């Protein structure tokens, strides 16, 4: 018998659940207002029962059951986790599942549970036993929240439905969030500067917090906005090194027409845009999809192209090398999912573009509901403006000589005209001249990205921060209104006005009007914000005028500004250049990526600068057989003042780990570290590894070996100290270690081989496939949640979910979502990539390849921090797959360059 210790643990748990395991089906229900509560217990055994309880569906013949939660109970969940982690050779006892639910009315409940097999249960509610009713209600609330947390953890979509339902029911029933939920909410509150970054990116945490605040504290939004806008941050002045005489640095004309407060992504030649467009088109236009799987398609590129009126035919018919001399994407922010202040800036060679674009713009206005095209006066100039009432189309087209700007922002048009005489242009700023001295135009970058200090400061300005705060509140109100209407209809309550939703308890008292007078407007089939428009295409932040702020907003911003005033006195400009260089292998491409922060404010990054030593040309190169090798030069500093400067390096050999499975918990991670063939070393001695484990190891033998706690072997040889769980690996690697002089100085070096042909490929594929399975099932469970919790018909669940989340759902395994008919015509959602029967073993296809392994063929990189400048250089070897069809339009690759792009729909 194996695993004696594990079996002892399992035995104790088995005793704890033995009574539950033998239980028969039983039920109870208790009347109350606005809801009664009930539950029934049944064994999880037999044919037609899916052990994954999330797939179970509860119905009541008259539609009187609401908000069910299915659980195996805390003890059974603990038992299953222990059995799984310790790998005990025992079968789990027959488990039971409890189905909790709320209901209305006092007549007998005729329940149907699909597992997916149909089970009929009839329960007659009781009007007595208030203590049992309260205990059952508390148990339902605990399990309902646990179900929501699990769905949130395993899904790849914003858990808006779960957040709304738990918040609404908490208010409506007077129930405090369970302890675990309160702890999780507290842990997820970030500190500065992460809090600011999350707000700027509109992250999921910020949006969910806005929903909770709107449900729990709705009156806060109605306090008067009678305070003046707070003062901005008093930023320190940048000192840029002199770069010679005025004409010594070549500045491209396009930069001279870009406002200095805008980000700047220049492609130069039009062919560079086509190259990048075709590269990402093979992965659905999403660079992130080249790295990992996605469970949804935000379609941001298509949305922005539609809003700017950049049609598909613009590539084939209009924008070509003969017409376009230079082009760039510019903007004041990256709020691409909700309505950004962005634009396309063009420099033309021929005077044929304006008439053709105006034809396209008129056609777009005529085909859009409520669309219009007009000429507006901005800065004394005529500008074409195409728009719709909900901002789904919002496109200003300004022309000044051979420069053309197409943008969503009126404010950007004003600044574009101002740059004609050089006022506030990026190209005339001292920091951009410094950037071009470091990364000149002669590099012929395929892409050049510049984030100026003025751009970064603008994002933290009071105008941007307070409007972003209000925008997140407005988005939360739109989403809450949508879900409240659905919940009200599910309960058969009126849902045509906000007053009806508030009266029914689906929205809180005081909901509906914000401090700036805006609020949600209910239209047929959708909800829009009275000031900002529809979700996904809100009015750009630059075009919203703030006339006053509330006391809370002023205090909120002043506290945020104080942090930057004290700890983050300046914003460091960022420059990134991407070049295409020849590869030595046919069919491959090689990209050189250079990242430069100059000047680099060292005091803001003390956690990094306090660890790194001086840059050096001495390196510890990978040993033959290494698949991954990382090296860093460390200073004693924060790691230990008594330690001298030394090299710390880690190598992973080209061999598959013995332990498999996703590293999603501490035990699995520890087992992976133990079974992965790798080593950790330091040079010269004494380094960090020679201080471990503080004298607890045995004396080294004649060959330099010693045994440390936890089964770690150490070898000290030739001034090297190396650790590994495998003594034989140390014997193989350590004789090959030797410092070498290299051409470039650095403090951090990374080398990664071709993982697609390595023995690690199988493990990487397995991890990716497991992730894909989780995403695929998570989306299907979302559709089930929409049907179960909000009583949307299964046929309409996908359309409803995609409208609520403003995305298109994708199967992580590449399959197609479809409805499947079970007992009595009951419909469920599944993917064509799933096994045929519930409970059937999932098997990874032999030809499955992780997205990364389809194109990644190697990487070499180095990082150097020297004085006030941080430089990173990466060279990536790639074998891109060909797109099924050529790129068909100007897809705004910026969206995907910053990792916010669309994933290719799976139809």
């Amino acid at each position: 018998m194996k695993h004696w210790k594990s079996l002892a643990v399992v035995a104790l748990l088995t005793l704890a659940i033995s009574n539950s395991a033998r239980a028969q089906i039983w039920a109870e229900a208790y009347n109350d207002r606005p809801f009664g509560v009930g539950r029934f217990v049944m064994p999880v055994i037999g044919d037609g029962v899916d052990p994954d309880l999330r797939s179970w569906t509860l119905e009541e013949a008259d539609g009187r059951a609401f908000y069910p939660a299915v659980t195996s109970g805390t003890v059974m969940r603990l038992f299953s986790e222990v059995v799984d982690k310790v790998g005990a050779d025992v079968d789990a006892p027959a488990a039971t599942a409890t189905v909790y639910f709320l209901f209305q009315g006092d007549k007998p409940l005729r329940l149907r549970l699909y597992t997916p097999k149909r089970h009929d249960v009839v329960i007659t509610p009781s009007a007595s036993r208030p203590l049992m009713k309260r205990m059952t209600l508390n148990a339902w609330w605990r399990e309902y929240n646990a179900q929501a947390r699990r769905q949130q953890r395993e899904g790849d979509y914003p858990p808006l439905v779960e957040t709304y339902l738990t918040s609404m029911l908490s208010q409506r029933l007077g129930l405090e969030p369970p302890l675990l939920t309160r702890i999780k909410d507290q842990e997820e509150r970030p500190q500065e500067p992460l809090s600011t970054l999350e707000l700027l990116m509109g992250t999921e945490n910020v949006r969910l917090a806005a929903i909770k605040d709107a449900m729990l504290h709705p009156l806060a939004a109605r306090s008067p906005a009678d305070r003046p806008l707070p003062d901005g941050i008093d930023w320190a002045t940048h000192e840029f090194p002199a770069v010679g005489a005025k004409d010594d640095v070549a500045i491209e004309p396009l930069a001279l027409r870009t406002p200095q407060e805008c980000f700047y992504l220049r492609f130069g030649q039009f062919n560079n845009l086509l190259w990048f467009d075709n590269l990402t088109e093979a992965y659905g236009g999403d660079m992130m999809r080249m790295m990992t799987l996605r469970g949804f398609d935000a379609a941001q590129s298509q949305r922005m192209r539609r809003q700017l009126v950049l049609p598909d035919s613009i590539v084939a018919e209009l924008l070509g090398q003969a017409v376009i001399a230079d082009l760039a994407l510019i903007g004041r922010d990256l709020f691409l999912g909700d309505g950004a202040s962005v634009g396309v800036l063009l420099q033309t060679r021929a005077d044929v573009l304006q008439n053709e674009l105006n034809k396209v713009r008129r056609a777009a206005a005529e085909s859009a509901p409520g669309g219009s095209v007009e000429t507006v006066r901005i800065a004394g100039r005529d500008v074409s403006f195409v728009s719709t009432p909900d901002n789904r189309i919002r496109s200003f087209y300004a022309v000044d000589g051979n420069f053309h700007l197409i943008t969503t922002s009126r404010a950007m048009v004003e600044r574009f005209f101002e740059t004609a005489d050089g006022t506030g242009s990026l190209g005339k700023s001292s920091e951009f001249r410094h950037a071009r001295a470091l990364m000149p135009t002669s590099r012929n970058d395929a892409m050049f990205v510049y984030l100026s200090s003025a751009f970064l400061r603008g994002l933290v300005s009071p105008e941007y921060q307070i409007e972003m705060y209000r925008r997140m509140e407005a988005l939360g109100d739109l989403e809450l209104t949508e879900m409240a209407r659905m919940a009200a209809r599910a309960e058969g309550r009126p849902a045509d006005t906000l007053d009806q939703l508030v009266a029914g308890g689906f929205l809180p008292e005081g909901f509906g009007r914000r401090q700036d007078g805006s609020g949600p407007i209910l239209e047929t089939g959708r909800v829009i914000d009275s000031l900002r428009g529809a979700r996904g295409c809100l009015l750009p932040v630059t075009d919203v005028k703030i006339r006053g702020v509330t006391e809370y907003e002023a205090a909120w911003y002043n506290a945020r500004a104080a942090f930057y005033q004290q700890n983050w006195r300046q914003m460091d400009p960022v420059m990134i250049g991407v070049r295409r260089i020849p590869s030595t292998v046919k069919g491959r491409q090689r990209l050189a990526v250079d990242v430069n922060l100059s000047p680099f404010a060292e005091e803001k990054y003390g956690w990094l600068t306090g660890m790194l030593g001086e840059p050096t040309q001495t390196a510890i190169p990978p040993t033959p057989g290494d698949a991954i090798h990382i090296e860093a030069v460390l200073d004693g500093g924060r790691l230990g003042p008594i330690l001298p400067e030394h090299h710390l390096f880690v190598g992973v050999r080209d061999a598959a780990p013995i332990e498999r499975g996703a590293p999603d918990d501490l035990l699995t991670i520890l087992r992976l570290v133990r079974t992965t063939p790798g080593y950790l070393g330091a040079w010269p001695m004494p380094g960090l590894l020679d201080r471990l484990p503080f004298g607890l190891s045995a004396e080294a033998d004649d060959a330099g070996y010693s045994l440390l706690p936890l089964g770690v072997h150490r070898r000290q040889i030739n001034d090297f100290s190396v650790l590994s769980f495998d003594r034989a690996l140390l014997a193989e690697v350590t004789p090959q270690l030797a410092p070498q002089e290299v051409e470039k100085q650095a403090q951090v070096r990374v080398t990664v081989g071709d993982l697609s042909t390595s023995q690690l490929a199988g493990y990487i594929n397995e991890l990716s496939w497991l992730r894909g399975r989780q995403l695929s099932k998570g989306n299907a469970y979302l559709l089930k949640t929409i049907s179960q919790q909000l009583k949307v018909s299964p046929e309409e669940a996908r359309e409803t979910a995609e409208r609520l989340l403003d995305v298109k759902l994708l199967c992580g395994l590449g399959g197609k979502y479809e409805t499947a008919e079970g007992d009595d015509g009951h419909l469920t959602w599944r993917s064509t990539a799933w096994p045929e029967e519930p409970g059937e073993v999932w098997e990874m296809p032999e030809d499955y390849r992780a997205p990364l392994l389809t194109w990644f063929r190697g990487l070499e990189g180095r990082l150097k921090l020297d004085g006030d400048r941080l430089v990173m250089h990466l060279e990536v070897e790639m074998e891109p797959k060909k797109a099924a069809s050529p790129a068909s339009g100007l897809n705004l690759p910026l969206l995907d360059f910053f990792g916010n792009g669309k994933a290719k729909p799976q139809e």
Side-chain angles (χ1 to χ4, degrees):
M1 179 78 66
K2 298 185 297 182
H3 306 296
W4 287 102
K5 293 182 180 180
S6 302
L7 284 175
V9 176
V10 171
L12 291 175
L13 288 172
T14 302
L15 289 174
I17 65 170
S18 58
N19 291 333
S20 174
R22 292 193 297 268
Q24 301 298 314
I25 296 178
W26 64 274
E28 59 183 348
Y30 304 96
N31 288 339
D32 204 352
R33 296 289 186 272
F35 293 107
V37 61
R39 64 174 174 171
F40 65 90
V41 180
M42 64 172 292
V44 186
I45 56 175
D47 296 333
V49 177
D50 190 341
D52 190 341
L53 304 183
R54 291 178 300 170
S55 67
W56 292 15
T57 303
L58 179 69
E59 296 178 356
E60 203 276 332
D62 298 321
R64 293 167 49 214
F66 305 95
Y67 312 117
V70 186
T71 177
S72 58
T74 304
V75 174
M76 275 307 303
R77 286 199 300 269
L78 177 61
F79 176 87
S80 300
E81 290 175 2
V82 170
V83 170
D84 179 62
K85 299 307 179 190
V86 302
D89 296 334
V90 297
D91 293 327
T96 60
T98 302
V99 183
Y100 293 91
F101 59 93
L102 303 182
F103 67 91
Q104 294 176 341
D106 54 9
K107 295 180 179 180
L109 296 158
R110 295 175 294 166
L111 300 168
R112 294 174 181 174
L113 179 68
Y114 295 92
T115 66
K117 182 180 179 180
R118 173 177 162 179
H119 305 267
D120 293 324
V121 180
V122 177
I123 309 177
T124 300
S126 169
S128 60
R129 306 182 70 186
L131 179 60
M132 286 300 299
K133 186 215 73 166
R134 187 65 188 180
M135 291 175 60
T136 307
L137 181 66
N138 289 339
W140 162 80
W141 183 234
R142 181 179 61 251
E143 297 300 339
Y144 193 81
N145 277 270
Q147 179 176 272
R149 287 195 303 272
R150 181 179 181 185
Q151 187 78 355
Q152 179 176 352
R153 182 174 65 248
E154 298 187 3
D156 190 43
Y157 57 87
L160 301 179
V161 175
E162 294 87 349
T163 301
Y164 166 70
L165 289 174
T166 51
S167 300
M168 180 268 289
L169 292 170
S170 174
Q171 288 292 97
R172 197 169 170 189
L173 301 178
L175 296 171
E176 285 288 327
L179 178 61
L180 287 178
T181 299
R182 297 197 300 270
I183 293 174
K184 181 176 181 294
D185 289 344
Q186 186 67 32
E187 290 176 345
E188 290 181 349
R189 294 179 183 176
Q191 302 299 315
E192 295 295 350
L194 183 58
S195 177
T196 300
L197 183 62
E198 285 198 345
L199 179 66
L200 295 176
M201 297 180 67
T203 64
E204 179 181 300
N205 287 341
V206 174
R207 297 179 68 178
L208 297 181
I211 288 177
K212 291 179 181 179
D213 286 345
M215 292 297 296
L216 301 176
H217 311 290
L219 296 179
R222 303 187 63 174
S223 58
D226 55 2
R227 302 294 181 91
L229 193 69
D231 294 332
I233 300 169
D234 183 17
W235 298 102
T237 304
H238 277 295
E239 296 294 337
F240 295 95
V243 293
K246 180 178 179 180
D247 298 330
D248 289 348
V249 180
I251 304 295
E252 63 272 26
L254 210 63
L256 297 172
R257 297 310 311 268
T258 300
Q260 64 181 354
E261 67 273 16
C262 288
F263 71 77
Y264 180 66
L265 194 165
R266 179 187 183 236
F267 287 92
Q269 298 182 9
F270 187 75
N271 289 338
N272 289 331
L273 176 59
L274 293 182
W275 158 76
F276 188 83
D277 220 12
N278 286 320
L279 175 66
T280 56
E281 186 72 16
Y283 298 88
D286 184 359
M287 283 196 70
M288 290 302 294
R289 198 165 173 80
M290 295 175 67
M291 306 296 295
T292 186
L293 296 173
R294 301 291 290 274
F296 61 89
D297 166 12
Q300 293 176 346
S301 181
Q302 295 174 344
R303 180 179 301 166
M304 289 303 303
R305 186 174 64 199
R306 179 192 64 218
Q307 190 176 30
L308 286 169
V309 190
L310 298 175
D312 291 344
S313 61
I314 201 170
V315 168
E317 300 176 10
L318 300 176
L319 295 181
Q321 200 69 21
V323 176
I324 303 300
D326 202 352
L327 79 160
L329 305 180
I330 66 174
R332 291 286 307 276
D333 55 57
L334 298 170
F335 309 148
L336 305 166
D338 299 313
S341 305
V342 296
V344 179
L345 181 61
L346 306 168
Q347 182 184 3
T348 61
R349 303 180 194 274
D351 190 20
V352 297
L353 188 61
Q354 187 171 1
N355 289 337
E356 295 300 324
L357 279 180
N358 282 330
K359 292 178 183 178
V360 174
R361 294 166 64 81
R362 284 193 296 270
E366 292 171 0
S367 62
S372 66
V373 56
E374 56 185 316
T375 299
V376 296
R377 294 288 289 180
I378 301 179
R381 306 284 292 274
D382 286 343
V383 176
S384 169
F385 180 49
V386 180
S387 64
T388 56
D390 60 4
N391 289 331
R392 291 189 182 276
I393 294 179
R394 180 181 173 84
S395 176
F396 295 91
Y397 178 30
V399 181
D400 189 10
N402 63 337
F403 293 97
H404 301 242
L405 175 65
I406 307 169
T407 178
T408 60
S409 168
R410 181 187 181 99
M412 284 180 58
V413 174
E414 294 174 351
R415 289 289 292 113
F416 166 70
F417 285 134
E418 288 178 3
T419 61
D421 61 4
T423 302
S425 77
L426 182 67
K428 288 199 173 183
S429 66
S430 60
E431 70 172 57
F432 190 78
R433 285 174 49 80
H434 172 67
R436 275 310 190 194
L438 297 176
M439 302 179 71
T441 56
S442 58
R443 285 167 44 97
N444 294 320
D445 289 314
M447 292 191 298
F448 175 75
V449 183
Y450 191 74
L451 307 181
S452 68
S453 57
F455 166 72
L456 297 173
R457 290 196 300 265
L459 295 176
V460 194
S461 66
E463 296 87 351
Y464 250 89
Q465 286 286 293
I466 290 176
E467 171 53 23
M468 276 306 301
Y469 179 83
R470 293 180 177 182
R471 174 185 277 215
M472 288 297 104
E473 291 182 321
L475 279 173
D477 284 358
L478 297 182
E479 292 161 346
L480 281 172
T481 305
E482 288 260 17
M483 291 182 287
R485 295 174 80 179
M486 297 174 63
R489 289 166 181 159
E491 294 186 27
R493 305 285 295 276
D496 296 324
T497 67
L498 289 178
D499 289 341
Q500 290 173 339
L501 296 174
V502 171
F506 302 99
L507 290 173
E509 291 287 342
F511 182 89
R513 287 294 160 187
R514 310 219 60 80
Q515 58 275 77
D516 55 5
S518 66
I521 298 176
L522 280 66
E523 295 184 345
T524 302
R526 67 173 182 173
V527 183
I528 67 171
D529 185 80
S530 59
L531 171 64
R532 299 169 181 85
R535 289 171 60 197
C537 45
L538 299 181
L539 190 66
V541 174
T542 50
D543 291 0
V544 177
K545 304 300 182 184
I546 298 179
R547 307 189 185 282
V549 303
T550 67
E551 181 180 2
Y552 174 82
E553 288 174 331
W556 172 82
Y557 179 77
N558 286 332
R560 180 160 291 195
F563 168 85
Y564 288 94
Q565 194 73 57
Q566 297 170 13
N567 305 289
W568 205 281
R569 293 298 314 284
Q570 65 184 44
M571 288 292 186
D572 306 323
V574 181
M575 62 196 87
I576 305 171
V578 180
R579 291 176 295 136
R580 291 184 283 169
I581 57 179
S583 172
T584 58
V585 180
K586 184 178 180 181
R588 294 186 181 180
Q589 298 181 14
R590 195 168 182 87
L591 298 183
V593 182
D594 293 293
V595 181
N596 211 314
L597 274 71
S598 179
F600 177 82
E602 184 174 340
E603 64 275 7
K604 293 188 301 188
Y605 309 98
W607 58 271
L608 175 64
T609 58
M611 293 172 56
L612 295 180
E614 294 297 319
T616 177
Q617 290 180 250
T618 302
I620 311 298
T623 62
D626 282 358
I628 302 172
H629 186 88
I630 304 173
E631 174 194 4
V633 180
L634 302 182
D635 191 1
R638 297 192 176 188
L639 296 175
I642 63 174
L643 291 177
E645 186 173 284
H646 62 283
H647 295 241
L648 188 71
F649 54 92
V650 60
V652 178
R653 307 292 283 170
D654 185 1
I658 299 174
E659 174 70 24
R660 307 303 288 265
D664 53 6
D665 62 81
L666 182 59
L667 287 176
T668 305
I669 292 172
L670 291 176
R671 290 200 300 262
L672 269 174
V673 170
R674 215 183 146 80
T675 62
T676 299
Y679 59 93
L680 175 67
W683 174 91
M685 298 194 300
L688 179 64
L689 301 187
D690 296 292
R691 299 294 176 181
L692 301 175
F694 307 108
L696 298 180
S697 63
E699 290 293 331
D701 61 20
D702 292 341
Y705 292 99
S706 56
L707 182 62
L708 279 61
L710 304 178
V712 178
H713 297 273
R714 175 168 63 187
R715 191 179 192 191
Q716 295 167 303
I717 182 175
N718 298 331
D719 221 13
F720 282 89
S721 183
V722 189
L723 307 181
S724 177
F725 284 100
D726 186 347
R727 179 179 171 124
L729 186 149
L730 288 180
E732 176 189 1
V733 169
T734 50
Q736 304 179 69
L737 294 173
Q740 292 184 6
E741 292 300 308
V742 293
E743 181 181 357
K744 300 290 186 180
Q745 286 189 334
Q747 286 118 319
V748 179
R749 303 179 194 273
V750 179
T751 302
V752 181
D754 185 354
L755 299 178
S756 67
T757 59
S758 73
Q759 297 184 59
L760 293 171
Y763 178 61
I764 296 173
N765 285 328
E766 181 181 344
L767 287 182
S768 177
W769 181 81
L770 289 173
R771 166 69 172 165
R773 184 180 70 175
Q774 176 180 316
L775 298 182
S776 181
K777 294 175 70 175
N779 283 347
Y781 294 141
L782 167 65
L783 300 179
K784 182 251 183 182
T785 298
I786 295 290
S787 295
Q788 178 78 101
Q789 302 292 335
L790 298 173
K791 295 187 181 296
V792 175
S793 68
E795 298 93 334
E796 298 175 350
R798 180 171 179 173
E799 178 183 351
T800 302
E802 292 179 341
R803 186 182 74 253
L804 281 176
L805 302 178
D806 201 22
V807 300
K808 185 176 182 63
L809 298 178
L810 305 177
C811 172
L813 297 176
K816 175 185 177 183
Y817 287 116
E818 60 183 14
T819 55
E821 185 173 327
D823 286 3
D824 299 329
H826 176 68
L827 295 178
T828 59
W829 280 93
R830 70 186 309 278
S831 168
T832 55
W834 292 11
E836 290 294 327
E837 300 295 333
E840 187 177 341
V841 176
W842 292 62
E843 294 184 356
M844 184 178 73
E846 292 184 0
D847 61 349
Y848 179 83
R849 294 292 179 271
L852 178 69
L853 299 188
T854 62
W855 62 271
F856 180 83
R857 298 296 177 263
L859 175 146
E860 294 181 0
R862 63 178 181 271
L863 180 144
K864 177 184 177 182
L865 176 58
D866 190 7
D868 64 349
R869 183 180 175 197
L870 185 147
V871 179
M872 182 172 64
H873 177 82
L874 298 175
E875 291 193 14
V876 181
E877 186 85 6
M878 59 192 306
E879 188 175 335
K881 66 179 182 181
K882 296 181 179 179
S885 59
S888 57
L890 184 59
N891 283 321
L892 293 182
L894 170 66
L895 310 190
D896 308 304
F897 186 80
F898 285 97
N900 294 308
K902 67 183 182 71
K904 189 174 183 179
Q906 303 290 329
E907 293 293 338

